[in-house]
Amino acid sequence: MSNSVLSLLRAQCTLDNILKYQTIKMVVIRDRKLGALHWIFLILIIIFVVVYSIYFQEGYVKTEVPFGSARGTMQQPEVFKNLSELSYCKQTQPSSILSDGSQLNNNDCIYLLGQDIMYPPGPRGYTSGTTRLKGVTYSVPESCEKNPVLPACAALSNTTTSPQYVADIESFTLFIESSVYGEKTKLIKQSSECLGTLLDHNGKIMRTLPPNRTGDIFSIQTLLDAAGVYSLETKSKLVGQGSLRYDGALFVVLISYENDSAHSDIFRYSYSIVYIPGLDVVTFEPSSYYGPGRRVASNKHSVTFVYLITGQVGVFDFLTTLTTIINGMVLTKVSSIIIDFLLTYILPSKKIYTKSKYDQLHVESKRVRRRSQILSSPLDFSQSMSDVGLLSSPSSSISMSNITISDNIDINQDDNNSNSNSNSNNNNSN
């Protein structure tokens, strides 16, 4: 019995059975309507993949949002305006008119340098320019001059000075430079190497910045115009109902980088200024020791520009292109599914189409199948079946008509072998 089982296993575990290949049956349907619909789908898919996905959407480019940094410094104008030209200075007039028509009391104006209005100083991700400052003078014991860490050096009294405006803050200039880095694309660029533009709040170009320069220089008034805030006398949305000059204002400077898909090393960028309303932008400067018995601190309201790098850069990538093409191939399969659904469920000749497309195989009985080379006669086959336990005894008979042989077996060859074996047995008996 064990030898017969091993023989059966050897018959099944052949390379032809293990490395078998299955293919799809193709049926040609000569129907102009289905053919025309099929070609319409293919043409639309080709237009979508080639024209839209690859050309317009640049489906061959691997893109990413770059990392970056920016810094800015302020510089005073070469020539300041006279106080008589500034409507918010108390030295020339007691009050000014805000943008909504309301009246606001003026404050004294002072002239400061660029490094004086920047607080905190030094490069960082934002730049603040003071518009209004107010100092507080603290009186302390004179002994603190030698040992200022004594407990008695705590402030005993303070005197608050009147608020002061920084004169002609709109004429100050802001110097900005930035750089970007793509982690996936490995692209590195500085703003001085690229073509830049300044956009207004409607997205229109206000100024073009040519490449090969040290940095970008804008006046504060230009940046206010780009944000749609044309004057610091615009009324703020804080509870105090002051002006932007009085309360301060926050602006986000969006620096958007992108590169040319055909030439990935050619970069360009744009500035977009966004005003964030309803914020009281104020910084507190720590107290400093100003001689015997005096310490002076101040708080400063300012226009603050926060820099944010954004955009999208990319390079040609074969895998990205291949993915776009594969997506188009998936669409062709979807179109085939739609057409198959129409011809098998919707069209008038659906029964004919279904019968031609699908084959149904009926198997009557299938227990154990051995190769025809093993079977030399019906008696040998019965003996083999008895060995594996499918028949109770070798003398039991079995009819060949109850066994269904698959299409890939030559039935006529088996019949000839059986006839030749029976003839030989008859001759031996004679």
Side-chain angles (χ1 to χ4, degrees):
M1 178 177 179
S2 60
N3 294 331
S4 300
V5 173
L6 291 176
S7 299
L8 291 175
L9 292 176
R10 291 193 192 99
Q12 296 296 325
C13 297
T14 62
L15 288 178
D16 291 335
N17 287 332
I18 296 174
L19 300 178
K20 61 185 178 181
Y21 172 74
Q22 296 179 353
T23 186
I24 301 174
K25 179 181 179 181
M26 302 297 294
V27 178
V28 177
I29 300 177
R30 302 182 184 277
D31 189 321
R32 67 184 68 182
K33 296 179 180 179
L34 289 176
L37 183 61
H38 173 68
W39 279 106
I40 290 174
F41 281 156
L42 289 182
I43 293 173
L44 292 177
I45 291 171
I46 292 174
I47 293 175
F48 175 78
V49 174
V50 176
V51 178
Y52 179 77
S53 297
I54 295 181
Y55 184 76
F56 287 105
Q57 296 295 322
E58 297 182 348
Y60 55 90
V61 178
K62 177 174 66 176
T63 60
E64 66 173 331
V65 178
F67 298 95
S69 62
R71 71 178 187 93
T73 56
M74 285 193 177
Q75 179 70 29
Q76 71 277 1
E78 295 182 359
V79 179
F80 283 97
K81 293 181 179 180
N82 295 325
L83 295 181
S84 59
E85 302 178 63
L86 306 176
S87 61
Y88 49 86
C89 293
K90 190 177 180 179
Q91 290 94 325
T92 57
Q93 49 185 338
S95 62
S96 58
I97 305 299
L98 300 184
S99 59
D100 63 344
S102 60
Q103 190 172 2
L104 181 67
N105 294 330
N106 289 342
N107 293 298
D108 290 333
C109 292
I110 58 172
Y111 289 103
L112 294 177
L113 300 179
Q115 59 267 29
D116 296 328
I117 67 171
M118 286 183 58
Y119 188 83
R124 56 189 66 239
Y126 65 92
T127 305
S128 295
T130 303
T131 58
R132 177 176 69 92
L133 58 92
K134 181 174 62 175
V136 180
T137 302
Y138 296 96
S139 299
V140 297
E142 296 183 4
S143 58
C144 293
E145 181 179 0
K146 296 181 179 180
N147 193 359
V149 297
L150 294 175
C153 292
L156 298 179
S157 61
N158 61 79
T159 303
T160 302
T161 60
S162 299
Q164 295 175 312
Y165 287 140
V166 175
D168 201 14
I169 182 67
E170 292 87 348
S171 297
F172 279 69
T173 55
L174 179 61
F175 174 85
I176 305 175
E177 58 181 356
S178 60
S179 59
V180 291
Y181 166 70
E183 182 179 8
K184 297 180 181 179
T185 57
K186 307 301 180 184
L187 298 173
I188 302 176
K189 279 293 179 179
Q190 295 182 352
S191 59
S192 58
E193 304 172 336
C194 310
L195 176 68
T197 54
L198 174 64
L199 306 179
D200 63 8
H201 60 283
N202 293 321
K204 298 180 179 180
I205 297 177
M206 292 181 58
R207 182 187 300 179
T208 301
L209 310 169
N212 300 323
R213 61 194 183 283
T214 56
D216 303 323
I217 301 176
F218 308 101
S219 67
I220 302 299
Q221 184 60 56
T222 300
L223 297 178
L224 294 177
D225 295 340
V229 180
Y230 302 101
S231 173
L232 289 178
E233 268 56 64
T234 301
K235 193 171 184 179
S236 68
K237 297 183 179 181
L238 297 178
V239 178
Q241 301 295 316
S243 63
L244 296 182
R245 189 184 307 276
Y246 187 89
D247 293 326
L250 177 64
F251 298 89
V252 177
V253 182
L254 298 175
I255 308 176
S256 179
Y257 276 86
E258 60 181 9
N259 65 333
D260 194 337
S261 58
H263 305 86
S264 59
D265 58 336
I266 299 178
F267 276 65
R268 54 187 176 273
Y269 66 96
S270 62
Y271 289 101
S272 299
I273 317 298
V274 180
Y275 166 57
I276 308 298
L279 295 178
D280 185 11
V281 184
V282 57
T283 56
F284 296 92
E285 185 177 0
S287 59
S288 302
Y289 186 66
Y290 280 86
R294 294 183 62 217
R295 283 184 180 177
V296 177
S298 61
N299 58 18
K300 299 180 177 181
H301 293 259
S302 60
V303 286
T304 300
F305 299 94
V306 179
Y307 309 111
L308 180 61
I309 303 295
T310 183
Q312 183 172 273
V313 297
V315 294
F316 172 80
D317 183 66
F318 175 76
L319 291 179
T320 304
T321 307
L322 185 61
T323 302
T324 304
I325 296 175
I326 291 176
N327 293 335
M329 296 175 64
V330 172
L331 292 178
T332 60
K333 183 60 179 178
V334 173
S335 67
S336 298
I337 293 174
I338 295 174
I339 295 176
D340 289 344
F341 178 81
L342 292 176
L343 65 89
T344 54
Y345 294 101
I346 304 298
L347 297 181
S349 303
K350 57 185 177 181
K351 292 184 179 180
I352 299 176
Y353 294 149
T354 303
K355 185 177 180 180
S356 301
K357 181 174 176 59
Y358 301 103
D359 286 337
Q360 296 181 1
L361 301 178
H362 300 280
V363 179
E364 298 177 358
S365 175
K366 186 176 181 182
R367 292 184 177 179
V368 178
R369 186 171 60 198
R370 301 182 63 188
R371 282 187 173 183
S372 61
Q373 293 86 344
I374 300 176
L375 304 178
S376 59
S377 66
L379 181 61
D380 294 335
F381 182 81
S382 301
Q383 179 66 35
S384 300
M385 299 297 283
S386 175
D387 291 340
V388 298
L390 296 179
L391 293 178
S392 60
S393 64
S395 60
S396 301
S397 61
I398 185 170
S399 175
M400 289 295 292
S401 62
N402 293 331
I403 299 174
T404 301
I405 302 176
S406 60
D407 294 340
N408 59 348
I409 297 177
D410 191 351
I411 302 176
N412 296 325
Q413 182 179 355
D414 293 338
D415 294 336
N416 295 330
N417 290 334
S418 300
N419 294 329
S420 62
N421 290 333
S422 61
N423 294 330
S424 61
N425 291 333
N426 293 330
N427 293 330
N428 291 333
S429 61
N430 294 327

